[in-house]
Amino acid sequence: MKKSLYLALCASTLLFAEAPALKSMSERTFVQSQYMPDISLITDFAFVSRNKDQDELKALGMPGVGEAFFGDEDEEHSHGTYNADNGFNLNYAELVLSSNVDPFLSLDAVFHFGEEGVEIEEAYFTTTALKNGIRIRGGKFLSAFGRHNNQHHHIWDFSDAPLIYQGFLGGALNEKGIQFQYTPELSEYLMFGAEVLQGENETTFGHKTHTFANGDEIKGADAPSLVVAYMKTSFDVGDTTIMPGLSYMYGKSRSYHMHEGVEEIFSGTSKLYHAEFTVKHYFDSYSFLSWQSEWMHKERKGTLYEDAITATEDQKYVQEGLYSQLTYAHDQNWRVGTRLDSIYKNEIQFVETPLPASSYQRYSAMLEYHFSEFSRLRLQYNYNDALYAEVAGSYKNENAQSLILSFNLSIGAHAAHDF
């Protein structure tokens, strides 16, 4: 009996081993240990010297755009301003983990360590096996809106974000949500994308209920409350790559800030129109000249509350700006660059203190040396003519000059960056 059972088991084993369906299953066997994550740590240190002391800097801002340029802004949804302090700055240490989960999905996570705490900067999955040029990403991620937005700080050409990103988005649009991208099979690169996001960026959007100190409430909006759409393309002309793109954002707005000791809450909707244009010419494998520019137009419409009763209806904001930067890499080690920032339109109805008539401008220049692809030393100079202090019912221009010496280091395996 035992011998018969043994022979039957052997026969069934051979039979199923030859079965085509199970052979196919065997080919798809997944071994998690084959997908060990890439792990890297990136740090950024800086020494900063400015022509104003720290107390003066904290009182400066761009009226109507951003009131706290040097670090007193809401930290809940942003890292604050890099290099905010005179003297030494530890801007961050970022721990990055990245790997395929299985043949169908990858997983990336970025943990941002600052002196005030730790934040999950990004944690998202990405599909890897969908066909017909379709890709889906979900979790918390940097939006693909624009060109600068989805780049991490350690690959920026300058040590600070452009003024339009600082003023219109608080530095970056980094949200929880889902992203859809479609890249058709064409001779040239063309990508269409859409994102549905939670809408927590309170610099321009926001959806939460806000409560005044006296207990009055301004109700929030249902989330998700922000949608983003964009189109990007890329094509080559000889050794030159040209990368234009268009983006659009629409979302609900519930933003809170304190102005001259008075609580203010804006409730309405916001739109952001965007165009980008990058030209990159390679002289050889390491030497290149890159021109990168982005333009934004922002519109907000709604009601401004000082409490649940005192309200200014039909409050409108129309703001517009751009940045343009030129970077030249002489070889594998040396790079030099210059950048112009400008917010040249700032129209706000019903303001108590007249806004400055001149545009907000900043001029930057940098020189950097790459010891290797893992370490970089950069010297940057900023002449910031966009800052004002409110004095006796008017705004006084207080240009700030900065000299920033930053040292960026990374260790471990790190995924490739976008071109």
Side-chain angles (χ1 to χ4, degrees):
M1 180 69 178
K2 290 182 178 178
K3 184 177 180 180
S4 299
L5 180 59
Y6 174 75
L7 292 173
L9 287 171
C10 290
S12 63
T13 301
L14 291 171
L15 177 63
F16 280 102
E18 293 299 316
L22 286 184
K23 186 177 180 181
S24 175
M25 291 274 294
S26 175
E27 290 173 353
R28 290 165 50 192
T29 299
F30 171 70
V31 181
Q32 177 67 49
S33 61
Q34 296 177 355
Y35 291 88
M36 294 300 293
D38 291 337
I39 302 174
S40 63
L41 180 69
I42 304 163
T43 61
D44 191 87
F45 309 92
F47 180 82
V48 182
S49 177
R50 294 190 173 93
N51 64 332
K52 297 185 181 296
D53 64 38
Q54 206 62 38
D55 289 335
E56 287 181 286
L57 291 170
K58 288 182 178 180
L60 302 182
M62 296 183 290
V65 177
E67 292 204 6
F69 199 86
F70 287 99
D72 274 353
E73 67 269 39
D74 175 21
E75 297 286 347
E76 184 178 358
H77 305 298
S78 73
H79 306 313
T81 303
Y82 291 123
N83 308 305
D85 297 329
N86 285 324
F88 293 101
N89 291 259
L90 172 58
N91 288 318
Y92 58 82
E94 281 191 351
L95 180 65
V96 183
L97 292 86
S98 177
S99 176
N100 285 334
V101 177
D102 52 33
F104 314 102
L105 297 166
S106 67
L107 182 65
D108 294 84
V110 180
F111 300 91
H112 186 102
F113 293 80
E115 294 186 272
E116 293 78 24
V118 182
E119 176 191 357
I120 302 176
E121 181 172 349
E122 294 190 276
Y124 58 85
F125 70 85
T126 306
T127 59
T128 58
L130 295 181
K131 298 181 179 180
N132 301 317
I134 297 173
R135 193 191 78 174
I136 300 174
R137 174 171 290 176
K140 183 180 181 182
F141 50 86
L142 289 166
S143 170
F145 168 90
R147 180 165 177 80
H148 182 275
N149 192 81
N150 67 347
Q151 296 177 340
H152 285 267
H153 179 264
H154 64 275
I155 63 169
W156 292 359
D157 288 323
F158 292 82
S159 296
D160 40 26
L163 284 186
I164 51 174
Y165 276 94
Q166 290 180 310
F168 295 173
L169 293 172
L173 184 66
N174 185 17
E175 293 265 354
K176 300 185 289 285
I178 191 162
Q179 177 190 86
F180 303 89
Q181 291 186 353
Y182 170 57
T183 307
E185 293 186 11
L186 300 172
S187 58
E188 305 291 352
Y189 174 77
L190 178 64
M191 185 267 284
F192 300 93
E195 299 168 1
V196 181
L197 305 175
Q198 191 74 354
E200 294 177 322
N201 183 287
E202 292 189 2
T203 303
T204 293
F205 299 100
H207 64 82
K208 293 184 178 180
T209 296
H210 289 279
T211 304
F212 288 100
N214 65 4
D216 291 341
E217 283 189 347
I218 303 300
K219 293 295 183 182
D222 292 334
S225 60
L226 175 60
V227 293
V228 183
Y230 42 83
M231 176 187 70
K232 301 170 186 273
T233 185
S234 173
F235 55 92
D236 293 331
V237 179
D239 295 325
T240 303
T241 300
I242 301 173
M243 294 171 281
L246 297 172
S247 303
Y248 172 75
M249 274 193 241
Y250 175 84
K252 301 295 184 180
S253 292
R254 301 291 188 276
S255 60
Y256 169 92
H257 74 282
M258 183 79 70
H259 178 71
E260 292 293 301
V262 178
E263 295 178 290
E264 294 183 347
I265 294 175
F266 176 82
S267 175
T269 59
S270 295
K271 301 176 184 178
L272 205 58
Y273 301 87
H274 172 275
E276 61 184 280
F277 189 75
T278 300
V279 179
K280 196 167 189 177
H281 176 78
Y282 272 91
F283 302 102
D284 55 42
S285 299
Y286 301 108
S287 180
F288 65 82
L289 181 66
S290 175
W291 174 43
Q292 178 176 314
S293 298
E294 296 186 61
W295 166 89
M296 289 189 200
H297 175 90
K298 172 180 167 181
E299 296 180 7
R300 304 181 85 194
K301 183 177 180 180
T303 302
L304 185 66
Y305 295 89
E306 293 183 5
D307 54 48
I309 299 173
T310 307
T312 304
E313 297 181 353
D314 295 325
Q315 177 79 337
K316 295 179 181 179
Y317 300 73
V318 178
Q319 296 164 327
E320 198 169 280
L322 57 80
Y323 78 89
S324 186
Q325 65 185 50
L326 193 67
T327 305
Y328 171 64
H330 177 69
D331 51 29
Q332 197 171 358
N333 303 110
W334 290 98
R335 293 186 186 183
V336 63
T338 184
R339 181 183 66 189
L340 166 67
D341 285 286
S342 178
I343 296 177
Y344 53 83
K345 180 178 285 188
N346 187 25
E347 300 174 357
I348 304 176
Q349 289 185 319
F350 311 122
V351 291
E352 294 181 5
T353 304
L355 297 173
S358 59
S359 59
Y360 301 152
Q361 307 270 23
R362 184 178 63 182
Y363 310 90
S364 305
M366 70 83 179
L367 174 68
E368 64 183 25
Y369 182 79
H370 293 240
F371 299 93
S372 70
E373 60 181 302
F374 306 106
S375 59
R376 177 191 67 219
L377 184 67
R378 175 188 290 145
L379 181 64
Q380 178 175 322
Y381 171 75
N382 285 346
Y383 182 89
N384 195 337
D385 205 31
L387 301 177
Y388 289 79
E390 188 166 356
V391 179
S394 64
Y395 291 107
K396 179 185 177 184
N397 181 250
E398 297 280 355
N399 74 70
Q401 299 179 52
S402 305
L403 197 63
I404 305 169
L405 181 64
S406 61
F407 197 25
N408 191 277
L409 301 165
S410 65
I411 56 175
H414 193 284
H417 301 123
D418 291 340
F419 177 76

